[in-house]
Amino acid sequence: MAIHSVGYAIPVTWFLTVGAMLFCIGLFGMMVRRSAIGMLLSIELLLNAANINLVAFGSYLKIPVIAGQIFTVFVITLAAAEAAVGLAIVINIYRNEQHIDADKISAMKL
Amino acid sequence: MQIGNLIFILPALCMSVAAIIVLLLGVVASKRPHKGLDYFFPAQYAAPVFTAIVTGIAGWLAWTELAAIKAGAFTEQAVGLFVVNGHAQLTVDPFAAILSFIAFAGTLVVMFLSQDHFGEDMLHKAEYYSLLMFASVAASLAAAASDLIAIYLCIEFLSLTSYILAAFSKTDRRSAEAGLKYFLYGAACSAVMLYGMSILFGITGGNTALSAIAIGFKGELANSAAGWVAIMFVLVGLGFKLALVPFHFWAPDTYEGAPTPVTAFLSVVSKAAGLAVIVRFLTVVANPASPASSMWYWMLIVLTAVTMFYGNMVAIWQTNIKRMLAYSSIAQVGYLMIGVLTAMSSQVVPVDSFSAALRNNNKGAWDLPGVLIYMFAYLLMNLGAFAVVVVVGKRLKSEAIDSYSGLMKCAPFLASALAVFLISLAGIPPTAGFLGKLFIFGGAIMTGMDRHPELIVLAALGIINSVISAYYYLNVVRVMYFGFSGEGEAPAEPVRGTFAMNTVIAVMLFLTLAMIIFARPVSDMASSAVYSGLK
């Protein structure tokens, strides 16, 4: 791997570990949360795990590249749009069903 | 950045402007409904007009690129946009141009379907049509995306618009549920894909362009756990878009609950975009020429086989025609994936770009041309089937297969059209679906004879699955022609589509049947799009 940590107080693996932990928490949340809002929050965690990775890689590479940060800016913007769309869909569900429990929403049977 | 290169994404640019115009027209028109602007130029007519123009531009672009290839004038400098160090964010090669044409043409048909399905007095119609147009822009750009940022943005752009479209019937509980399920699965899968991309970005030394990643992603790195995780995670996101089997859970519910035109859009246009991205990704980055990649190659082979069987086996038991078409479209993606895997296995040396992959490929191979031909055939037959489902569903207020009983008596044209589309989906000659399957399975067997016996097995499984699928497709035909043995009775009054819908169905019907007559030019076009001319 073209990654070094000379000159930095914190090695890159620490950032990656935080990212991986966030990712696992997000995935776990997606699986166990029943409220649609809880799942939305978990999705945000997943996205931010990737953001931490991108920024950490971008600044710790042998030749630091700006692309990681550019990518992250795009992701943050998209995450905001995604949250807006997701909340709109959840509000619509609430108007129809009076609850947002994802497990109980099954007008169609499998 | 080269301004001149913008001409390659001219269709997408025009479509974005047109979508904004439609949105603004809708705002102005909604001030005085049924008067003035809303009367003379309402969104449901403005949008197809603009889309038809853009489809024309996209067709012209694809045609000129193909002509340039024939003349040998097509050079790699002409490809791509915003080229930095030889790596482009978008690569508008003929493959992308044709898939982008398919996306726009599919959207145009979906708009006609929407006109019939929602009618004149639809709420928020300008928003609906402009969302469709934006979604087609995203699909067209995704077909050309060759950089991680571009891929992620295009896939997300397409997803976000599709989530809203799936949930568009606000008061319909099933539509809301379809939207929620699509959103939750989609957002999670694309976040996983993004995480995979971030690892891929890091381990290949901070590159986002696929061609640069392919250079860095070789040998030891491809064998490492990080490389493996990265590729797997990216494939999760792409598999979701295509509804490959472990990531298909959203498909049946979303397809059944979403408004029927949106279902048609998701099953064709959205899949064309996913297919384009997965082809680029698999042939360049996850190139099987690198030793470790045989792992994901084999995994994809298993997934493809499972996808075909699962889609067809579950489709047999469906009583709702939209749900049946949903499962059948899962199986159809399995057939398309055979073509993609054949193209993937033809690579014997690592390559650093899609065009390099094509140059290495066997010139006479049928794999990627087969994918293009099958995708076009799939556009015709699947949208045709959905067009009939829209017309019948609107008139009979039912999507149950039973309600099609005796349709032949009260709507002979619609019933025979649906019969042809279903026969084509089953891959029975002389239809477009047969031509597509011939190329895909033929390509797999040809490459398989050489050194990949697994592809022959896959093609054999595909043929077995076509036979299974014929059972449930022809069951619908049986119900339409001979009635249903149960309680279903023939509808009292004749079912008639509007003139516009009948024309659309007739055109699709003609193309589905005529494609086999024009097999030679079609296959020539598809192979020159994929092989020759790239220097």
Side-chain angles (χ1 to χ4, degrees):
Chain A
M1 266 188 247
I3 293 166
H4 73 147
S5 50
V6 184
Y8 289 96
I10 309 173
V12 66
T13 43
W14 290 31
F15 290 100
L16 299 185
T17 312
V18 172
M21 279 162 64
L22 269 184
F23 184 79
C24 293
I25 296 170
L27 265 193
F28 182 71
M30 276 309 286
M31 285 167 198
V32 300
R33 293 305 292 258
R34 289 160 60 222
S35 145
I37 297 286
M39 292 169 106
L40 262 176
L41 290 176
S42 308
I43 289 165
E44 294 295 312
L45 285 184
L46 289 175
L47 290 174
N48 282 315
N51 281 347
I52 290 180
N53 269 5
L54 285 170
V55 174
F57 276 131
S59 47
Y60 273 84
L61 288 168
K62 223 173 254 163
I63 316 151
V65 286
I66 195 80
Q69 283 149 37
I70 295 174
F71 205 156
T72 306
V73 171
F74 277 121
V75 175
I76 291 172
T77 322
L78 258 174
E82 197 161 71
V85 170
L87 280 174
I89 290 175
V90 171
I91 289 173
N92 191 26
I93 284 277
Y94 184 77
R95 285 203 180 129
N96 284 327
E97 317 257 340
Q98 273 72 48
H99 67 83
I100 50 164
D101 190 335
D103 285 358
K104 287 188 195 151
I105 299 167
S106 51
M108 293 165 284
K109 60 174 185 291
L110 278 170
Chain B
M1 168 183 164
Q2 294 124 332
I3 298 287
N5 268 341
L6 285 179
I7 194 159
F8 288 115
I9 54 164
L10 193 64
L13 292 178
C14 292
M15 195 63 151
S16 316
V17 174
I20 294 169
I21 292 174
V22 168
L23 201 54
L24 291 178
L25 280 180
V27 174
V28 177
S30 67
K31 301 273 182 213
R32 294 171 69 203
H34 307 297
K35 281 180 204 159
L37 198 55
D38 191 43
Y39 185 75
F40 290 111
F41 202 46
Q44 75 265 30
Y45 298 125
V49 168
F50 286 132
T51 313
I53 296 170
V54 170
T55 311
I57 299 176
W60 166 78
L61 192 70
W63 185 260
T64 47
E65 288 201 3
L66 287 176
I69 279 183
K70 276 225 175 102
F74 194 78
T75 53
E76 275 193 61
Q77 281 76 39
V79 193
L81 193 73
F82 314 126
V83 184
V84 184
N85 299 335
H87 306 307
Q89 275 83 52
L90 298 174
T91 312
V92 192
D93 41 27
F95 183 76
I98 287 181
L99 277 173
S100 136
F101 171 73
I102 288 178
F104 286 125
T107 311
L108 181 61
V109 178
V110 169
M111 279 176 180
F112 288 118
L113 265 58
S114 311
Q115 278 179 3
D116 193 69
H117 182 80
F118 291 111
E120 301 271 311
D121 297 320
M122 173 193 186
L123 215 56
H124 307 301
K125 59 186 169 196
E127 286 84 347
Y128 174 83
Y129 286 101
S130 69
L131 274 173
L132 262 185
M133 293 164 92
F134 277 125
S136 71
V137 170
S140 142
L141 291 178
S146 55
D147 175 290
L148 290 186
I149 300 183
I151 288 177
Y152 180 70
L153 288 181
C154 294
I155 293 278
E156 276 294 85
F157 185 12
L158 181 57
S159 299
L160 285 179
T161 40
S162 314
Y163 302 150
I164 309 175
L165 287 172
F168 209 85
S169 300
K170 273 168 67 182
T171 48
D172 182 1
R173 287 178 67 183
R174 299 194 310 162
S175 174
E177 183 188 337
L180 184 76
K181 285 190 172 154
Y182 193 28
F183 172 77
L184 289 177
Y185 282 118
C189 283
S190 70
V192 170
M193 175 172 80
L194 180 69
Y195 192 78
M197 283 178 172
S198 76
I199 299 175
L200 207 52
F201 167 81
I203 61 176
T204 54
N207 287 308
T208 55
L210 287 187
S211 47
I213 289 175
I215 297 168
F217 194 69
K218 274 171 196 159
E220 282 293 297
L221 198 54
N223 270 318
S224 66
W228 210 79
V229 168
I231 298 286
M232 284 299 126
F233 281 13
V234 174
L235 288 182
V236 168
L238 300 179
F240 164 81
K241 267 268 151 268
L242 285 172
L244 276 182
V245 143
F247 319 111
H248 68 282
F249 292 107
W250 59 279
D253 281 353
T254 304
Y255 279 33
E256 187 186 340
T260 317
V262 176
T263 309
F265 181 86
L266 292 180
S267 71
V268 174
V269 179
S270 178
K271 280 191 179 165
L275 188 78
V277 175
I278 210 164
V279 164
R280 257 172 228 284
F281 189 77
L282 286 182
T283 45
V284 178
V285 175
N287 189 321
S290 63
S293 65
S294 58
M295 270 194 294
W296 56 73
Y297 173 67
W298 281 103
M299 202 196 67
L300 280 171
I301 286 211
V302 173
L303 288 190
T304 303
V306 174
T307 301
M308 289 188 298
F309 273 107
Y310 177 85
N312 283 324
M313 288 301 184
V314 184
I316 290 177
W317 309 108
Q318 301 309 314
T319 51
N320 179 310
I321 194 153
K322 271 166 85 180
R323 217 172 164 84
M324 186 203 90
L325 286 172
Y327 281 109
S328 101
S329 84
I330 292 177
Q332 301 284 340
V333 163
Y335 306 140
L336 280 166
M337 278 304 289
I338 296 180
V340 177
L341 284 169
T342 312
M344 191 179 166
S345 69
S346 313
Q347 304 300 313
V348 282
V349 285
V351 288
D352 61 353
S353 71
F354 187 53
S355 54
L358 299 181
R359 269 199 305 280
N360 284 339
N361 217 330
N362 178 7
K363 287 269 184 273
W366 279 9
D367 41 24
L368 282 179
V371 169
L372 280 178
I373 292 172
Y374 198 72
M375 195 64 226
F376 191 63
Y378 179 65
L379 166 93
L380 296 174
M381 57 205 186
N382 214 39
L383 282 185
F386 270 111
V388 177
V389 171
V390 165
V391 173
V392 175
K394 166 112 178 176
R395 309 295 183 278
L396 298 184
K397 309 253 177 311
S398 166
E399 289 154 3
I401 294 177
D402 299 8
S403 65
Y404 283 69
S405 144
L407 194 70
M408 186 57 199
K409 286 197 195 91
C410 57
F413 171 65
L414 290 176
S416 15
L418 184 57
V420 171
F421 294 134
L422 292 176
I423 284 171
S424 176
L425 279 167
I428 298 168
T431 50
F434 169 72
L435 190 67
K437 275 191 179 142
L438 178 72
F439 268 81
I440 287 200
F441 296 156
I445 291 169
M446 266 165 24
T447 312
M449 300 276 255
D450 196 6
R451 58 187 171 274
H452 291 283
E454 71 277 6
L455 287 173
I456 297 183
V457 175
L458 213 50
L461 291 179
I463 292 165
I464 292 171
N465 269 289
S466 306
V467 176
I468 298 174
S469 71
Y471 171 73
Y472 62 83
Y473 288 132
L474 293 182
N475 181 41
V476 178
V477 178
R478 180 184 66 87
V479 169
M480 285 191 307
Y481 278 73
F482 305 114
F484 190 67
S485 49
E487 297 112 53
E489 277 175 32
E493 64 226 62
V495 179
R496 281 213 188 85
T498 57
F499 177 69
M501 281 310 281
N502 283 341
T503 315
V504 168
I505 294 171
V507 169
M508 310 278 267
L509 190 63
F510 172 72
L511 288 175
T512 307
L513 289 172
M515 205 160 148
I516 205 102
I517 302 170
F518 300 112
R520 189 63 203 236
V522 165
S523 68
D524 277 356
M525 234 191 272
S527 18
S528 69
V530 173
Y531 293 107
S532 50
L534 290 167
K535 288 175 191 144

